[in-house]
């Protein structure tokens, strides 16, 4: 059962991608990124089994840019799977002309998954934008600061949300911390769209379910055909269910 869950996410992860259409800060025109800058960024993207290595790649990007938010989202997502105990394998990289193809050839689903990255842009030596499989789905990516909820000493902080291009699956990443020992029902998470009263169950989740006092986990939740702007709902218990954890976390657009 667990391997089936990992197989489902492995294929879905590679279908998510790319940039916002924003101009760089200062009003400067974007320019084609240097090959060495792109190569180092793609190397960071490929390091799925090492989220720390992926986060090092953020230094190559302009803060708040598509390139930054895209890499940050995936580093968080893959960290959630590492916290789950099912790290995602690294991608093989093949460079063809000005495009870079990333493939994971030993997917749990039993088939290769490949993504082409191209059309990178930079501003003042830092990456700003990119295209994935020829598409610019930037408006599908959202992030925010200080969006949190607390319950019985457990705190949830929204990190990012991304709605996939191919199948409109909303992937939400969250930072979860606890003061006391807690068990979290990640698989039972639901998403309530804006204007609705009914929650939609998560199709897949990743992260640690059992937290020691003073610990935390990154978590990810998958909601098919959902859009940002709703609310993530997550439940759990403190030790021996001495108190019920009930978190309602907004997912900004």
């Amino acid at each position: 059962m667990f391997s089936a869950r990992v197989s489902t996410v492995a294929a879905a992860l590679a279908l998510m991608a790319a940039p916002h259409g924003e101009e760089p800060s200062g009003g400067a025109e974007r320019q084609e990124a240097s090959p060495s800058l792109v190569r180092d960024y793609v190397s960071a993207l490929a390091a799925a089994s090492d989220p720390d290595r992926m986060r090092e790649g953020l230094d190559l990007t302009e803060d708040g840019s598509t390139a930054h938010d895209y890499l940050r989202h995936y580093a968080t997502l893959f960290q959630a799977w590492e916290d789950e105990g099912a790290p995602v394998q690294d991608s093989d990289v093949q460079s063809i002309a000005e495009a870079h193809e990333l493939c994971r050839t030993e997917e749990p689903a039993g088939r290769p998954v490949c993504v082409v990255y191209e059309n990178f842009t930079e501003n003042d030596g830092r990456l700003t934008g990119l295209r994935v499989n020829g598409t610019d789905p930037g408006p599908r990516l959202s992030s925010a600061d200080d969006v949190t909820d607390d319950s019985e000493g457990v705190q949830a902080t929204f990190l990012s949300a991304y709605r996939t291009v191919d199948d409109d699956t909303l992937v939400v990443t969250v930072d979860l911390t606890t003061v006391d020992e807690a068990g979290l029902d990640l698989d039972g998470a639901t998403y309530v769209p804006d204007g609705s009263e009914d929650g939609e169950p998560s199709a897949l989740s990743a992260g640690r379910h059992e937290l020691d006092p003073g610990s935390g986990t990154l978590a990810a939740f998958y909601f098919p055909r959902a859009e940002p702007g709703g609310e993530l709902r997550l439940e759990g218990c403190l030790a021996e269910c001495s108190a019920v954890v009930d978190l309602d976390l907004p997912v900004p657009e």
Side-chain angles (χ1 to χ4, degrees):
M1 180 65 72
F2 178 74
S3 61
R5 294 176 64 242
V6 177
S7 298
T8 304
V9 69
L13 291 175
L15 299 177
M16 292 177 265
H20 301 292
E22 82 279 6
E23 292 296 325
S25 60
E29 294 184 1
R30 290 177 294 180
Q31 62 184 31
E32 183 178 347
S34 70
S36 61
L37 187 61
V38 171
R39 183 179 61 250
D40 291 344
Y41 180 84
V42 169
S43 177
L45 275 175
S49 70
D50 188 354
D52 286 338
R53 168 70 184 91
M54 296 186 74
R55 285 186 283 268
E56 290 174 0
L58 295 174
D59 291 339
L60 305 169
T61 67
E62 184 175 82
D63 287 347
S65 69
T66 294
H68 180 278
D69 291 349
Y70 176 79
L71 179 58
R72 178 176 177 265
H73 174 77
Y74 274 95
T76 303
L77 180 60
F78 294 147
Q79 182 68 63
W81 280 102
E82 183 170 295
D83 290 356
E84 169 88 16
V88 178
Q89 70 171 29
D90 290 349
S91 297
D92 295 325
V93 181
Q94 296 291 331
S95 297
I96 307 171
E98 296 179 356
H100 301 265
E101 185 180 57
L102 273 61
C103 293
R104 291 194 297 280
T105 57
E106 297 180 0
E107 286 294 315
R111 62 182 178 83
V113 174
C114 297
V115 179
V116 175
Y117 295 89
E118 57 189 342
N119 298 117
F120 289 87
T121 57
E122 70 169 86
N123 178 47
D124 196 24
R126 294 184 181 272
L127 286 175
T128 56
L130 68 159
R131 295 293 184 272
V132 177
N133 289 345
T135 302
D136 176 9
R140 294 167 174 257
L141 179 67
S142 62
S143 59
D145 296 324
D146 302 325
V147 177
T148 66
D149 191 33
D150 297 87
S151 176
E152 302 296 339
V154 178
Q155 178 170 288
T157 301
F158 171 81
L159 296 178
S160 63
Y162 193 85
R163 189 162 53 92
T164 64
V165 173
D166 287 51
D167 62 2
D168 287 331
T169 294
L170 183 69
V171 182
V172 181
T173 66
V174 177
D175 182 23
L176 296 165
T177 61
T178 184
V179 174
D180 301 309
E181 181 181 348
L184 301 177
D185 183 16
L186 302 185
D187 294 336
T190 60
Y191 183 74
V192 182
D194 186 29
S196 175
E197 295 182 358
D198 298 325
E200 301 174 0
S202 174
L204 199 63
S205 67
R208 291 179 57 206
H209 296 244
E210 302 294 332
L211 300 181
D212 296 328
S215 68
T217 185
L218 295 183
F221 305 92
Y222 296 71
F223 299 100
R225 295 172 298 282
E227 297 185 6
E231 186 175 75
L232 173 71
R233 294 182 178 175
L234 178 64
E235 297 180 348
C237 282
L238 298 188
E240 300 181 357
C241 226
S242 57
V244 175
V245 175
D246 189 0
L247 296 163
D248 298 329
L249 185 68
V251 177
E253 295 182 4

